[in-house]
Each structure stands twice: as structure tokens, then as C-alpha cells.
Amino acid sequence: MMNSWMLRWVGLGLCLALGACSQPPTASNSPANPASVTPTPQPNVARVIALTSLTADLVQRLDGKKLVGIPGSSLLRQDQRFKALPTVSEGRTSPNLEAIVALQPDLVIGASSFHADVAKRLNESGIRTLLTEVNSWENLETLTTTLAATLSADPEPLLQEYRAFLADAPKMAPSTLVLANPKPLLSPNKASWAGDTLARFGAKNVAADLQGGAEFSGYALLSPEKVLEVNPEVIILVSTGEGVVEQFKSNPIWNQLKAVSNNRVYVLDYYGLVNPGSIDAIKQACTTLKQQVFANQPGIR
């Protein structure tokens, strides 16, 4: 039987696969479409199913009348805008193909790292799919523009929101380490959403160029000795569940770290920092970075 940290590791891996990878959006009517193809806008799209919380949020904001199905996500369950919409997936299970087909979508949007098999089967049934990945702000802007063109909507209000989130970000910020998992220690490098966000805030991500060990692109496994070696001025812990912060603090090296001594350890939610999740989650992460983390406000002991 898996112990608790291993279960969290598996769950985090699935979440990373769903929300924080590297490719721009790609469309397909056949599984053979190359990943580099940018989809041709098709304004006749009237019924859309989104298989990730971020794409559901984007479609709802661009043209909510066209969204007819969503994933089972804690972010969406908490949002009144999605209360009346049927879910076509739940938790870690693969989307329900029968439920998707029954909703008669013109387009199904998923994550290329997790929904490729589903997309292939939908394509074979004559349902068009759009596979996306978002691990940078540039990816987010490209995805927004692509969806707006597909839905015959205006992307500019959302693009302006993104710029506002990053407005007044510091030009220079202290050396920073994001720890996304306590056992084993997992940190995002520069090829991840979190890594790109740190760069936008002028932070020196001490894991930016680290590679190896992690199953997921954009992340590196760290030994306690490596964390002591880089010894950042700021540490950001990612909250992925109850008791996670205590697990970080139970590491024998904890009290030897500069960030701990200077009370510069902060806790941010998984959504917004590691997995973009939704526009509101991104906004909250940026606000916390600006007003607390990089404003030199006290953190946790």
C-alpha cells in the first residue's frame, strides 16, 4: 500500500501533467497532425467542452454561451458560473467519452500531456479537438488568442488583465526556491509555469537551470544537500494538501536555511503558481508575490 507522501507524489504528477507543460495549442482532425501546427480559427464553433479548469475558465470568459461541458475540478465547483454545466470527468479518471459525445460538441479542448488518447478517439468519431499546454505566460497569451479566434471573440480584455497582473512587479527580487513537494523535494526550473512567473518578477530562481530526476518536464528533484548549497534568501512552499507545510518543516535541514532564519518562507496555493488553474488563481498568486513575498513582508516560522 502506498504511503501518504507517495500518494501525494502521484497526485502532483497528474496535476502537473494536466496543467503545466510546454507546447503551444495544437488542433487536430486526425491524430497525425504535427504538434507545431497552429489551429486555423473556425468561427462556426458553437458547442465547446473543456477538459481542464484553465481552458474552461477561458472559454467561459470569452463566450460563456458556447461552453457545454467541464472537468470535475475544485476550482470550478467553487465558481457559480459553472454550477449548471455537466462534468465529463472527475478526479484522476479519464474523461467519459460517452458523456462527451452525448453533449454533441463542435470542439473539445484538453491537455496534450494527458488527453492525447481521448483526442485520438474523439477525432476518429468526427469530433474536433484542441490540445494545449501552458508553462509560460507566452503560452497563456497564445492560447487565449487562439481560443478567441476559434470562438469569434475578442482576446484583448483578457490580455490586458494578464498585463495588469504583472504590472508593478519588482525588477530585481531575491534568490528564490519554490518547493512543490516535500518528499522527495521537487522544484520547478525555468521551463515551467512557476519558473517563468518567478522570472517575470525578477527573482533569481536558484533551480532555474537544474535538471534531472523528476518525471515531469520543467521540474528537478533536489537533495537536502543541494538545497543547503543554494541556500536561497526566499523559499516558497506549495500547498497541495493538509499537513504539507509541516512535512517541509520536518526536514532536518530546515533550521539551517537562510530563508527560515530571516522569516522569508511563504506558502502559496498550488493553483496559480504551479498549475495556472484559472485566471483568478493566477491573479491571486501574482498579488501575493507582489504584496507579500517580494515586498519583504514576514513569512512563516
Side-chain angles (χ1 to χ4, degrees):
M1 186 175 186
M2 289 188 185
N3 59 29
S4 61
W5 75 258
M6 191 175 294
L7 285 170
R8 184 175 291 113
W9 174 248
V10 172
L12 180 63
L14 176 63
C15 291
L16 291 175
L18 282 171
C21 297
S22 62
Q23 299 293 329
T26 64
S28 62
N29 285 316
S30 121
N33 269 24
S36 60
V37 172
T38 299
T40 302
Q42 298 196 19
N44 60 337
V45 169
R47 297 178 64 80
V48 179
I49 292 175
L51 301 180
T52 70
S53 60
L54 178 61
T55 54
D57 191 21
L58 288 172
V59 173
Q60 200 284 328
R61 289 170 184 263
L62 289 167
D63 190 342
K65 296 181 208 176
K66 294 181 177 178
L67 186 64
V68 298
I70 59 173
S73 162
S74 59
L75 286 176
L76 304 186
R77 280 192 289 270
Q78 298 165 10
D79 194 323
Q80 290 295 325
R81 293 176 299 156
F82 302 97
K83 287 292 185 184
L85 291 171
T87 59
V88 297
S89 65
E90 195 61 50
R92 301 170 187 173
T93 60
S94 182
N96 186 321
L97 284 171
E98 290 183 1
I100 292 173
V101 172
L103 290 170
Q104 300 181 321
D106 301 310
L107 178 67
V108 176
I109 309 168
S112 64
S113 55
F114 189 70
H115 297 123
D117 289 343
V118 172
K120 179 180 178 181
R121 294 175 67 182
L122 290 171
N123 290 333
E124 290 170 350
S125 300
I127 296 175
R128 193 164 68 96
T129 62
L130 176 67
L131 294 181
T132 73
E133 300 292 354
V134 176
N135 80 339
S136 70
W137 286 77
E138 183 179 359
N139 287 165
L140 177 62
E141 291 172 359
T142 299
L143 173 58
T144 301
T145 302
T146 298
L147 289 178
T150 302
L151 299 170
S152 298
D154 181 8
E156 195 56 33
L158 278 174
L159 297 177
Q160 288 180 6
E161 278 196 63
Y162 306 158
R163 296 178 196 122
F165 296 164
L166 297 173
D168 303 320
K171 302 296 182 186
M172 293 289 292
S175 61
T176 303
L177 177 67
V178 175
L179 292 175
N181 197 72
K183 296 179 182 179
L185 292 168
L186 180 70
S187 183
N189 61 28
K190 63 185 178 184
S192 66
W193 172 260
D196 190 56
T197 298
L198 290 182
R200 302 278 174 155
F201 279 82
K204 179 187 176 184
N205 178 10
V206 296
D209 296 314
L210 298 181
Q211 302 288 337
E215 297 178 41
F216 328 110
S217 173
Y219 290 79
L221 287 177
L222 305 182
S223 66
E225 294 74 21
K226 185 63 179 179
V227 175
L228 272 176
E229 178 188 329
V230 296
N231 207 2
E233 298 170 81
V234 169
I235 292 175
I236 298 173
L237 306 180
V238 177
S239 177
T240 56
E242 187 176 350
V244 173
V245 173
E246 287 69 25
Q247 288 193 51
F248 281 115
K249 295 171 72 172
S250 69
N251 195 302
I253 68 167
W254 184 255
N255 290 319
Q256 302 175 55
L257 296 170
K258 185 191 309 181
V260 175
S261 300
N262 295 334
N263 199 18
R264 298 294 306 279
V265 179
Y266 306 89
V267 179
L268 270 72
D269 194 76
Y270 165 77
Y271 288 111
L273 182 65
V274 171
N275 180 338
S278 72
I279 304 307
D280 284 344
I282 295 169
K283 179 181 180 180
Q284 181 58 56
C286 291
T287 299
T288 302
L289 290 173
K290 280 192 281 191
Q291 297 183 359
Q292 186 176 4
V293 178
F294 297 134
N296 202 24
Q297 296 300 308
I300 65 169
R301 290 285 184 186

